[in-house]
Amino acid sequence: LPLIGPVQVSGMTTQELATEVEESLRANYIRDPHVTVLIREYASQPVPILGAVNAPGIYQMKGQKRLLEMLSMAQGLNEEPGSTIQVIRAPSGSPSEDGTVPPSESISISIEELLEQGKTELNIPIYAGDVINVLQAGSVFVVGEALAPGQKVLRNGRNVTVTQAVALAGGFTLDARRDESLIIRVHLDGSREEIPVGDA
């Protein structure tokens, strides 16, 4: 810029840049400068939105957006969100001398705290290159003598009790032997555990 020379603008909002230029002018040349910064053209800023949203895809972001604005571009959450939104942020540093690239940053945000409790600090800014992944809800399977057996989605990733799981399946049939009910749990290593409901 005339009078003050080059100005670093990367990562700044238009208001922050205007304030920076005003301070530089005030320090050397003008008693009460007033500066307005306008963006003439936005570059393409793709942000992929994945997972439990109604319209997953790659969205072109124009200007600064926050998480809720980006989710609204994907038509909001679908009926099967889990408990967490992951924002995967590309590394900000340059590769080291040996070519090692800094790791990506993963930011986990609670859906319940953001949407139901209204914690505005979780509505973080989104930058070009970020990936937004709304994790899918887990599910349980109720099989056997239930009125509506099958897969039952755990809304917002919330765990349920045995009683709640049976209620989701419409309750027991008349032929059910309730005292012989089992929880069958499969662990990450593939091992299978059977837990009598009376011991749960």
Side-chain angles (χ1 to χ4, degrees):
L1 292 174
L3 302 179
I4 62 176
V7 179
Q8 177 66 35
V9 302
S10 178
M12 301 177 73
T13 65
T14 54
Q15 183 57 50
E16 290 169 342
L17 178 56
T19 302
E20 176 90 5
V21 174
E22 285 177 355
E23 290 174 355
S24 297
L25 290 171
R26 186 179 295 112
N28 298 301
Y29 301 102
I30 302 174
R31 182 177 302 165
D32 187 23
H34 296 279
V35 176
T36 300
V37 176
L38 301 175
I39 297 177
R40 185 174 64 184
E41 182 179 351
Y42 288 101
S44 175
Q45 301 182 88
V47 175
I49 305 178
L50 314 171
V53 292
N54 286 308
I58 299 175
Y59 290 86
Q60 299 299 325
M61 183 174 67
K62 292 186 177 181
Q64 181 64 69
K65 301 290 185 188
R66 291 186 173 270
L67 177 57
L68 288 177
E69 292 176 281
M70 295 305 299
L71 291 175
S72 69
M73 290 173 68
Q75 299 180 22
L77 305 185
N78 65 20
E79 295 181 356
E80 299 183 358
S83 60
T84 305
I85 300 169
Q86 286 182 333
V87 177
I88 302 168
R89 184 152 290 164
S92 56
S94 57
S96 61
E97 293 181 2
D98 63 0
T100 304
V101 178
S104 298
E105 177 186 6
S106 180
I107 305 168
S108 294
I109 295 171
S110 165
I111 290 176
E112 181 178 2
E113 291 180 358
L114 174 65
L115 298 180
E116 296 181 20
Q117 298 178 19
K119 293 188 176 180
T120 55
E121 66 271 19
L122 298 179
N123 188 24
I124 62 173
I126 300 299
Y127 301 104
D130 284 356
V131 177
I132 300 171
N133 182 23
V134 181
L135 299 185
Q136 297 278 358
S139 58
V140 296
F141 292 86
V142 182
V143 297
E145 293 297 329
L147 292 172
Q151 182 179 5
K152 308 302 174 186
V153 175
L154 303 179
R155 290 279 298 167
N156 294 333
R158 294 179 177 143
N159 293 328
V160 294
T161 65
V162 173
T163 303
Q164 289 170 327
V166 172
L168 288 172
F172 291 109
T173 66
L174 295 176
D175 296 327
R177 291 183 287 195
R178 304 183 184 199
D179 55 346
E180 296 182 21
S181 299
L182 292 173
I183 300 170
I184 300 173
R185 184 165 293 156
V186 180
H187 297 282
L188 293 176
D189 61 3
S191 62
R192 174 180 164 127
E193 180 184 7
E194 294 187 358
I195 306 169
V197 167
D199 296 339

